Amino acid sequence: MKKRLAGMLALMTMALTTPGIAQTTPSSEHRIVFHLSTPDTAAYRALTKQLNNVLAVWPSAKLEVVVHNKGIGFMHKDQSRVGAEIQALHQQGVVFAVCENTLKSQKLSRNQMLPQATFVPVGLNEIVLKQEEGWSYIKAGF
Amino acid sequence: MKKRLAGMLALMTMALTTPGIAQTTPSSEHRIVFHLSTPDTAAYRALTKQLNNVLAVWPSAKLEVVVHNKGIGFMHKDQSRVGAEIQALHQQGVVFAVCENTLKSQKLSRNQMLPQATFVPVGLNEIVLKQEEGWSYIKAGF
Amino acid sequence: MKKRLAGMLALMTMALTTPGIAQTTPSSEHRIVFHLSTPDTAAYRALTKQLNNVLAVWPSAKLEVVVHNKGIGFMHKDQSRVGAEIQALHQQGVVFAVCENTLKSQKLSRNQMLPQATFVPVGLNEIVLKQEEGWSYIKAGF
């Protein structure tokens, strides 16, 4: 009997912790991965503003921006015009993940990126992993 | 006892192998949230056509278009060139949700939007809520 | 007994309504649907490169590219500049699904498409079906 209870408890735990549970998700668990691959500075400004808008309503949402390909300028020390916004968002817990494949193909190094950057081997794979964990997906840009 | 074990095993298998809503979803329950943030009129025409294409195959699908940022022109009374299409789609149950944050930042009022508009505080949050409820996501535009 | 049945029923309901594949997905089961609707040749090159990057890390991932609207040039025999890459990716199991609605509206025939093409009635519906089955979604393009 105890074994059965344990089994059912395990099942319930699995069911309850499986992501994408819909309307019952408490606000603290909204999780969004943003896909940024555009070279458009206006889109960069819009994105930082949008991240702030989301956090204004859902202060404890988990937000991650995955930057790859032509989006790399967003996190480039010498090019980014939204460095101050990125710093402020990072302090609020937003993760900025830069694709190392992109760095290689564009012959950039990690230290050319803003200090708020974290690094992932392949940007797209990171986005997929997040979706598999139940995160919502937003493609940034116009 | 064996029967009960078999039953629990079946449940566990189901729990472990059930991804998304899967192939068993009846056609009447297809739910799609479209993300529109582009100022491109050609994209607006394409979107209304696509909504019709989807409904032609899945007449009872639930479709919602979330309009924000540069996509606002799609729902702007004086700018939209697809007002007639939006009216017809609305009559078929398509929801057109306009971001109030966008209205504020562009100093627009609700009554400048087409009468088919509904309003949501933050467009991106609406898109995320839909995904959390299991809706599929399509980023409109080219 | 009734209580147990009720409990199991609740579990079954939960299991059946829980979307998302979660962290337990083995690497061999990564499944990604790419949405391509842009006429941009640079985006086509980037996409084939990205597909290779994903496969380099996840060799047995299931990848499908759904091509519709202005993305049709990607699969057009006389226009595509990435035919060799598409052939190589197809040999690795990548599916290239072309929207037949797009063919009709652009007055193109199936045999004008690269031989690696498969055909779906409505591109967007294909993308939705994949998401409903738990596939991750990536919007291609910049």
Side-chain angles (χ1 to χ4, degrees):
Chain A
M1 180 63 183
K2 270 194 190 164
K3 211 168 171 182
R4 189 164 71 235
L5 272 175
M8 295 193 64
L9 207 62
L11 270 177
M12 290 185 75
T13 309
M14 276 161 47
L16 286 169
T17 56
T18 310
I21 325 181
Q23 288 148 310
T24 55
T25 311
S27 136
S28 63
E29 291 181 15
H30 296 295
R31 297 169 300 164
I32 315 169
V33 59
F34 292 81
H35 175 188
L36 182 63
S37 60
T38 178
D40 182 348
T41 300
Y44 296 169
R45 290 197 200 287
L47 176 57
T48 58
K49 200 174 163 189
Q50 285 159 6
L51 292 164
N52 279 311
N53 288 345
V54 170
L55 288 174
V57 180
W58 296 335
S60 51
K62 288 189 183 175
L63 308 182
E64 178 168 324
V65 180
V66 178
V67 173
H68 78 135
N69 207 284
K70 293 185 187 288
I72 202 78
F74 182 74
M75 292 300 290
H76 195 296
K77 264 182 194 167
D78 303 334
Q79 293 171 16
S80 185
R81 297 186 184 178
V82 288
E85 288 86 344
I86 287 171
Q87 189 179 358
L89 287 160
H90 182 256
Q91 281 170 359
Q92 292 178 76
V94 179
V95 172
F96 296 94
V98 172
C99 173
E100 289 189 317
N101 255 7
T102 301
L103 293 184
K104 275 177 226 157
S105 71
Q106 299 189 16
K107 295 180 183 168
L108 293 165
S109 66
R110 282 186 177 205
N111 59 22
Q112 289 176 277
M113 298 293 111
L114 292 172
Q116 289 79 29
T118 56
F119 299 91
V120 293
V122 184
L124 287 186
N125 291 22
E126 172 71 6
I127 294 170
V128 169
L129 288 172
K130 291 303 181 196
Q131 289 189 61
E132 290 176 353
E133 290 168 20
W135 292 50
S136 296
Y137 168 86
I138 297 285
K139 177 72 180 270
F142 306 123
Chain B
M1 181 64 182
K2 270 196 191 165
K3 208 168 175 181
R4 193 163 67 232
L5 272 175
M8 293 191 66
L9 207 61
L11 269 178
M12 290 183 74
T13 309
M14 277 162 48
L16 286 169
T17 56
T18 311
I21 323 174
Q23 288 144 312
T24 54
T25 311
S27 135
S28 63
E29 290 181 16
H30 296 295
R31 297 169 302 165
I32 315 169
V33 58
F34 293 80
H35 176 188
L36 181 64
S37 60
T38 179
D40 182 348
T41 300
Y44 296 169
R45 291 197 199 286
L47 176 58
T48 57
K49 200 173 162 189
Q50 285 159 6
L51 292 164
N52 280 312
N53 288 345
V54 171
L55 287 174
V57 180
W58 295 335
S60 51
K62 288 188 183 176
L63 308 183
E64 179 168 325
V65 180
V66 177
V67 173
H68 77 135
N69 207 285
K70 293 185 187 288
I72 201 78
F74 182 75
M75 292 300 290
H76 194 297
K77 264 182 194 168
D78 302 335
Q79 293 172 15
S80 185
R81 298 188 184 176
V82 288
E85 289 85 344
I86 287 171
Q87 189 180 356
L89 286 161
H90 183 256
Q91 281 170 357
Q92 292 178 76
V94 179
V95 172
F96 296 93
V98 172
C99 173
E100 290 189 316
N101 255 7
T102 300
L103 293 184
K104 275 177 225 158
S105 72
Q106 299 189 17
K107 295 179 183 167
L108 293 166
S109 66
R110 282 185 177 205
N111 58 24
Q112 289 176 276
M113 299 293 111
L114 292 172
Q116 290 78 28
T118 56
F119 299 91
V120 292
V122 184
L124 287 186
N125 291 23
E126 172 71 7
I127 294 170
V128 169
L129 287 171
K130 290 304 181 196
Q131 289 189 61
E132 290 175 352
E133 291 168 20
W135 292 48
S136 295
Y137 168 86
I138 297 285
K139 176 72 180 268
F142 306 123
Chain C
M1 181 62 184
K2 269 193 191 167
K3 210 169 174 180
R4 191 165 69 233
L5 272 176
M8 292 191 66
L9 206 63
L11 271 177
M12 288 182 75
T13 309
M14 277 161 50
L16 285 169
T17 55
T18 310
I21 331 177
Q23 288 147 311
T24 54
T25 312
S27 135
S28 63
E29 291 182 15
H30 296 295
R31 298 170 300 166
I32 316 169
V33 58
F34 292 81
H35 175 189
L36 181 63
S37 60
T38 178
D40 182 348
T41 300
Y44 296 169
R45 290 197 199 287
L47 176 57
T48 57
K49 201 173 163 190
Q50 286 159 6
L51 292 164
N52 280 310
N53 288 345
V54 171
L55 287 173
V57 180
W58 296 335
S60 51
K62 289 188 183 175
L63 309 183
E64 179 169 324
V65 180
V66 177
V67 173
H68 77 135
N69 207 285
K70 293 183 186 291
I72 201 78
F74 182 73
M75 292 301 290
H76 194 295
K77 264 182 193 167
D78 303 334
Q79 293 172 15
S80 185
R81 298 188 184 177
V82 288
E85 290 85 344
I86 287 171
Q87 190 180 357
L89 287 160
H90 182 256
Q91 281 170 358
Q92 292 178 75
V94 179
V95 171
F96 296 94
V98 171
C99 173
E100 289 190 317
N101 254 8
T102 301
L103 292 184
K104 274 177 226 157
S105 71
Q106 299 189 17
K107 295 180 184 167
L108 292 166
S109 66
R110 282 186 177 204
N111 59 23
Q112 289 176 277
M113 299 292 111
L114 291 172
Q116 290 79 29
T118 56
F119 299 92
V120 292
V122 184
L124 287 186
N125 291 23
E126 172 70 6
I127 295 170
V128 169
L129 287 171
K130 291 303 182 196
Q131 288 189 62
E132 289 175 352
E133 290 168 21
W135 292 49
S136 295
Y137 168 86
I138 297 286
K139 176 73 181 266
F142 306 122

